[in-house]
Amino acid sequence: KAGVTQTPRYLIKTRGQQVTLSCSPISGHRSVSWYQQTPGQGLQFLFEYFSETQRNKGNFPGRFSGRQFSNSRSEMNVSTLELGDSALYLCASGPLMAGGQDTQYFGPGTRLTVL
Amino acid sequence: AQSVTQLDSQVPVFEEAPVELRCNYSSSVSVYLFWYVQYPNQGLQLLLKYLSGSTLVESINGFEAEFNKSQTSFHLRKPSVHISDTAEYFCAVRRNSGTYKYIFGTGTRLKVLA
């Protein structure tokens, strides 16, 4: 069974631009979560989606948005990029709606560098 | 609200020596506890988890962690480390229902020395 796929793996953008990151969950998984990982702030929760509905949102500005499609693939978008948005963005997928004793599986991440 | 504290940001240890990575948590609701490992330029891999039952949980590669409710701790141990265990280790909590949202600690960088 293929794991969680994130594209692209690496991305370089300049300040003010916008970026879209993609996550394809494990086949059959319907829940997708996103995290931002930086050396200063560690791993911070961004969003959680299930069946195209955002179920949870972290404490990030409105420049960060996301969505989930009917095939469970998810995208996150960051508009008006700032230097501080440079980070590893991790996606995780889970089999069911939420919680319980299920395990979420993380993808390899997208490394975003903002110049 | 939940929080996770990993007091040790870096732990150097010689190969074949034992190691303990400390994790304390705080939560007003019931949570599950996890340890994840991250190798350079990779995502997170689940090492082990405590959901319920026996307070001692083990991974397939020799790590174990013990849930201590009274001390709100979930320390990770390995009796004999290998060079290949060099990585960053994250402790995390998650509510036991309603969400997949993890609260992560700041991580402990384990460096195994030859």
Side-chain angles (χ1 to χ4, degrees):
Chain A
K1 201 180 220 183
V4 179
T5 304
Q6 292 189 246
T7 56
R9 291 293 312 279
Y10 301 91
L11 206 49
I12 299 175
K13 293 286 188 178
T14 56
R15 279 185 302 174
Q17 287 187 308
Q18 76 165 18
V19 67
T20 299
L21 312 182
S22 179
C23 171
S24 293
I26 292 171
S27 177
H29 283 192
R30 296 171 65 189
S31 174
V32 173
S33 301
W34 289 89
Y35 292 82
Q36 181 196 64
Q37 184 178 20
T38 60
Q41 299 298 316
L43 283 152
Q44 302 287 315
F45 171 79
L46 279 157
F47 325 98
E48 177 181 14
Y49 289 90
F50 178 81
S51 290
E52 304 176 65
T53 301
Q54 186 180 91
R55 303 189 66 249
N56 232 323
K57 188 178 190 303
N59 189 24
F60 278 81
R63 299 185 297 106
F64 291 81
S65 63
R67 59 179 175 169
Q68 186 181 32
F69 301 95
S70 58
N71 62 358
S72 295
R73 190 177 70 85
S74 177
E75 289 182 348
M76 67 163 282
N77 183 278
V78 188
S79 62
T80 321
L81 284 166
E82 300 177 0
L83 296 179
D85 298 333
S86 294
L88 180 66
Y89 290 88
L90 293 165
C91 166
S93 79
L96 299 175
M97 183 167 68
Q101 300 192 353
D102 316 304
T103 296
Q104 270 204 319
Y105 298 88
F106 284 80
T110 293
R111 172 77 61 187
L112 171 65
T113 302
V114 182
L115 303 175
Chain B
Q2 300 97 52
S3 66
V4 178
T5 302
Q6 293 181 250
L7 287 172
D8 306 306
S9 59
Q10 293 189 65
V11 173
V13 62
F14 285 103
E15 194 174 20
E16 297 184 9
V19 70
E20 178 179 81
L21 307 184
R22 296 179 294 169
C23 172
N24 287 88
Y25 72 95
S26 171
S27 178
S28 56
V29 297
S30 294
V31 293
Y32 295 141
L33 297 147
F34 302 81
W35 276 99
Y36 279 88
V37 59
Q38 186 176 38
Y39 298 101
N41 299 314
Q42 294 187 27
L44 299 173
Q45 297 176 32
L46 179 66
L47 195 57
L48 44 76
K49 60 184 177 182
Y50 172 76
L51 305 177
S52 64
S54 172
T55 57
L56 185 66
V57 290
E58 299 177 353
S59 72
I60 57 173
N61 55 357
F63 283 95
E64 64 179 31
E66 185 158 19
F67 169 59
N68 188 318
K69 188 173 183 179
S70 62
Q71 297 184 6
T72 59
S73 67
F74 191 53
H75 301 329
L76 181 69
R77 303 185 186 95
K78 190 171 186 180
S80 175
V81 295
H82 304 291
I83 296 287
S84 59
D85 293 324
T86 294
E88 189 145 23
Y89 292 79
F90 292 93
C91 181
V93 299
R94 191 181 88 198
R95 290 182 64 160
N96 66 358
S97 65
T99 181
Y100 274 122
K101 175 183 174 182
Y102 290 96
I103 303 298
F104 285 95
T106 50
T108 297
R109 192 172 299 274
L110 174 64
K111 184 164 177 60
V112 181
L113 309 168

